[in-house]
Amino acid sequence: MQKQLQQITTNMQLEEHYLTLEKALLALYFHKNCTTKSLAHTTDLPIPLVSAMKKEFAKQGWGKHSLTKKGQLAISEYFQLSGADATLYLQLTTDDAFRTEWITQNTRELSAIYNARPTADVAIDQAKCTVETALKRALLALDYTMLLNKRILCLGDDDFISIALAFLLNKIAPHSTTQIVVLDIDKRVLSMINKIAKDYELPIKTVYYNVQDPLPKTYTHQFDCVYTDTPYTLIGAQLFLSRAMNALKPEAMRHVFFSYAKRSYQKQWQLQQSLYAMGFVIDSIRYDINTYEGAQILGAKSQLFVLQTTEQMTPYIPNHLMFTRPIYTGEIDQKTVVYRCIHCQHALTVGVGYQYTTIAQLQSNGCPNCANKKFAQMKRIVQKTHFQHIVGHHILLELHDCNVALLNDVQRIKTIMCQAAEKAKAMVVTEHFHHFSPYGISGVVIIQESHLTIHTWPEYGYAAIDIFTCSSKLDLQEAVQFITKKFNAGNVTQHYLHRGK
């Protein structure tokens, strides 16, 4: 059936992908009858496209406004819906009040399992989410048509999202062929999930995996969606998302449900720049889902990004080599806190590498001298690793609608680029420019602090310019403004990158 859906996508010249057709077919299956307007709302497609889609369904013999018996059988087999609870599916996807009550009821049912989870290992940025959060995250797979007849990866699962997913799956479609795989570095977590999966006959497979190693070929390009709650560092998020990208099927509109600590506007901008550079589309950012138990560093909350893949996916970190840089908060921001016992005045240091990594652990065990459980903070030290140092500043300048004659004049371009370097107060070392036949110029100005480069396409009125420096003292914007003015560009964009961070 997947090939038929792909063919329909081609016939319709549909940009969205055949997964949109899956969403429409599930709506027809469970709702029994759907108007063109309601399907447009469900699929986010314009009404003319929905009409064309329904005609294509009718050509296959599946029905138009409602499914034929052939259509019902085909969809039931494709999504493995034998024994599915249609009422529950409809209520969870259309009734917000019922959905809230369902989460409350099932939170009580799962609490015993979740309360027995291993303690959080703060050295690898673990923070256990609440049962309610786990169920809300699981329901996202239902909302985005990623639950039925899919392969789901949980990349790092101290939150036990795999358990919530399998639990939801059994409630809605107990005979579904959906597979859930957990890759995690914490053997305690893997052991407990594995035991629960066996005891409750859940479709979960657990595998030990260190995300700093390349993703095994067995799991490359195999999954429809990925759940990941990454370390609280930018580089940690970039690494986990790169591995998630390697795990997803190489098609557009696959999903990553990505949880990450809410940060300052500057750090949020850096994160979203990374997501854009990797080729992700941010479908939504949810602030009403993630709540954690005792996660003071997060304020007990975090944001959840719903990411969609595109045809332009590029992992930030390649999969063929082991990644050796620190990725966890305790490695990058090496924090130690000295506490004093209120009763006997004994001083203890808490942090990664010491007997107690958190104050909660110290309070639980009590003072080793007198067993008192109350402490006062004396001193707090945070030391950043040298990996946070920026070694280069890089501006990517896009000039459109430029003076066409200028774009093919090698002497004038050489003069402008050398003058731009001087405007930035850089020291020019040498330069080289080449005029291609019949048109187009490439050139470089080597400066003591790095370089400026240019490539022109006169036939498009376009020039691509890079300004790169290892010095923070140069005035790069002076160079940008000078170049923009001289090329008489009608449309200018620039991207700023930190290099070596």
Side-chain angles (χ1 to χ4, degrees):
M1 186 175 184
Q2 183 175 310
K3 289 183 178 179
Q4 291 170 286
L5 295 179
Q6 290 171 330
Q7 185 59 52
I8 292 173
T9 303
T10 302
N11 295 345
M12 293 176 59
Q13 298 181 334
L14 186 65
E15 294 181 359
E16 278 73 8
H17 204 262
Y18 72 87
L19 294 176
T20 303
L21 304 184
E22 289 188 353
K23 185 179 290 188
L25 289 171
L26 280 172
L28 286 167
Y29 184 88
F30 285 110
H31 287 267
K32 305 301 183 186
N33 189 293
C34 292
T35 65
T36 300
K37 186 177 180 180
S38 67
L39 271 184
H41 176 75
T42 299
T43 58
D44 293 323
L45 291 176
I47 286 178
L49 274 181
V50 174
S51 297
M53 176 181 67
K54 292 172 102 174
K55 289 178 182 177
E56 291 289 339
F57 289 168
K59 289 179 186 177
Q60 300 295 329
W62 299 338
K64 197 171 182 181
H65 301 295
S66 59
L67 294 176
T68 62
K69 288 185 177 180
K70 178 182 177 180
Q72 290 175 346
L73 181 61
I75 294 163
S76 179
E77 289 180 350
Y78 181 63
F79 289 104
Q80 296 296 305
L81 297 177
S82 173
D85 189 333
T87 301
L88 179 60
Y89 180 94
L90 287 172
Q91 288 176 314
L92 285 175
T93 53
T94 62
D95 188 335
D96 290 340
F98 175 86
R99 185 173 172 127
T100 300
E101 180 59 28
W102 185 87
I103 290 171
T104 301
Q105 290 178 355
N106 289 282
T107 293
R108 291 192 290 268
E109 187 173 341
L110 287 174
S111 287
I113 290 174
Y114 277 72
N115 289 341
R117 285 176 293 177
T119 56
D121 185 350
V122 296
I124 54 175
D125 286 354
Q126 286 183 351
K128 296 186 292 185
C129 76
T130 63
V131 187
E132 180 183 2
T133 293
L135 288 168
K136 285 181 177 180
R137 290 189 197 172
L139 284 166
L140 287 173
L142 188 66
D143 297 337
Y144 285 89
T145 324
M146 287 287 140
L147 183 68
L148 305 173
N149 188 30
K150 302 297 179 187
R151 294 200 74 201
I152 303 173
L153 174 64
C154 295
L155 186 57
D157 195 27
D158 53 288
D159 290 322
F160 279 33
I161 302 304
S162 56
I163 301 297
L165 282 164
F167 180 82
L168 173 64
L169 187 66
N170 277 0
K171 294 279 187 180
I172 291 178
H175 302 300
S176 172
T177 55
T178 293
Q179 298 175 349
I180 302 169
V181 175
V182 175
L183 300 181
D184 201 291
I185 196 173
D186 192 330
K187 294 181 179 178
R188 304 170 306 158
V189 168
L190 293 172
S191 176
M192 188 167 178
I193 291 176
N194 192 48
K195 184 178 185 306
I196 294 168
K198 287 182 178 178
D199 290 346
Y200 291 86
E201 297 183 348
L202 303 178
I204 302 174
K205 178 181 179 181
T206 60
V207 181
Y208 174 82
Y209 171 61
N210 182 346
V211 74
Q212 292 181 284
D213 294 329
L215 186 72
K217 290 183 179 180
T218 310
Y219 303 109
T220 300
H221 304 318
Q222 296 296 313
F223 295 93
D224 296 285
C225 70
V226 177
Y227 282 83
T228 187
D229 195 336
T230 74
Y232 311 144
T233 64
L234 179 60
I235 190 63
Q238 290 167 336
L239 177 60
F240 271 69
L241 289 172
S242 295
R243 300 302 189 230
M245 191 183 299
N246 293 132
L248 288 168
K249 294 175 180 176
E251 300 172 332
M253 289 186 68
R254 300 295 165 181
H255 287 76
V256 178
F257 303 109
F258 158 50
S259 296
Y260 189 70
K262 186 73 171 67
R263 297 304 201 192
S264 66
Y265 286 108
Q266 179 64 19
K267 290 184 177 179
Q268 188 83 342
W269 175 81
Q270 291 173 347
L271 173 65
Q272 293 193 25
Q273 283 284 99
S274 294
L275 297 176
Y276 168 77
M278 284 190 273
F280 284 115
V281 171
I282 301 175
D283 181 87
S284 64
I285 306 176
R286 301 288 300 271
Y287 299 99
D288 59 341
I289 289 182
N290 289 341
T291 304
Y292 297 86
E293 299 173 355
Q296 288 86 353
I297 190 171
L298 299 175
K301 295 280 187 179
S302 79
Q303 57 196 329
L304 189 147
F305 291 84
V306 179
L307 305 177
Q308 284 188 342
T309 58
T310 64
E311 304 290 353
Q312 290 78 38
M313 302 307 296
T314 305
Y316 186 86
I317 296 160
N319 193 51
H320 61 279
L321 294 174
M322 182 177 180
F323 189 74
T324 57
R325 282 177 55 184
I327 61 171
Y328 297 109
T329 304
E331 298 172 323
I332 294 174
D333 296 333
Q334 296 179 353
K335 181 180 72 174
T336 56
V337 183
V338 179
Y339 291 94
R340 184 183 67 246
C341 173
I342 290 178
H343 184 260
C344 72
Q345 307 302 306
H346 180 62
L348 300 101
T349 301
V350 172
V352 176
Y354 291 87
Q355 181 180 0
Y356 302 112
T357 56
T358 67
I359 182 59
Q361 292 174 350
L362 175 58
Q363 290 170 331
S364 177
N365 286 274
C367 174
N369 281 356
C370 65
N372 170 63
K373 295 184 181 293
K374 292 185 178 181
F375 301 86
Q377 181 176 316
M378 295 173 61
K379 184 169 61 174
R380 183 176 184 270
I381 302 169
V382 177
Q383 182 178 356
K384 290 186 179 291
T385 67
H386 68 280
F387 287 103
Q388 293 297 300
H389 180 65
I390 298 169
V391 299
H393 306 269
H394 196 169
I395 291 179
L396 308 178
L397 194 59
E398 304 268 274
L399 303 183
H400 293 271
D401 304 327
C402 296
N403 182 315
V404 174
L406 173 58
L407 293 180
N408 208 36
D409 190 327
V410 68
Q411 290 301 324
R412 290 175 65 191
I413 284 179
K414 181 193 299 185
T415 301
I416 291 170
M417 294 300 289
C418 289
Q419 287 177 341
E422 293 169 1
K423 289 285 185 182
K425 300 180 177 62
M427 180 71 71
V428 176
V429 176
T430 187
E431 45 76 14
H432 183 76
F433 288 78
H434 180 76
H435 186 204
F436 294 96
S437 179
Y439 37 67
I441 292 165
S442 289
V444 58
V445 179
I446 303 297
I447 58 177
Q448 199 168 47
E449 300 83 359
S450 265
H451 66 257
L452 289 78
T453 64
I454 183 169
H455 304 278
T456 73
W457 286 262
E459 67 271 35
Y460 301 125
Y462 168 71
I465 296 172
D466 283 18
I467 305 173
F468 180 79
T469 174
C470 55
S471 171
S472 59
K473 296 180 180 180
L474 297 191
D475 195 339
L476 301 186
Q477 285 305 317
E478 276 291 325
V480 168
Q481 291 173 18
F482 178 79
I483 290 170
T484 302
K485 182 179 179 181
K486 287 295 182 180
F487 279 88
N488 194 26
N491 191 329
V492 181
T493 59
Q494 61 174 300
H495 304 281
Y496 186 90
L497 302 175
H498 293 305
R499 304 302 297 271
K501 185 174 179 181

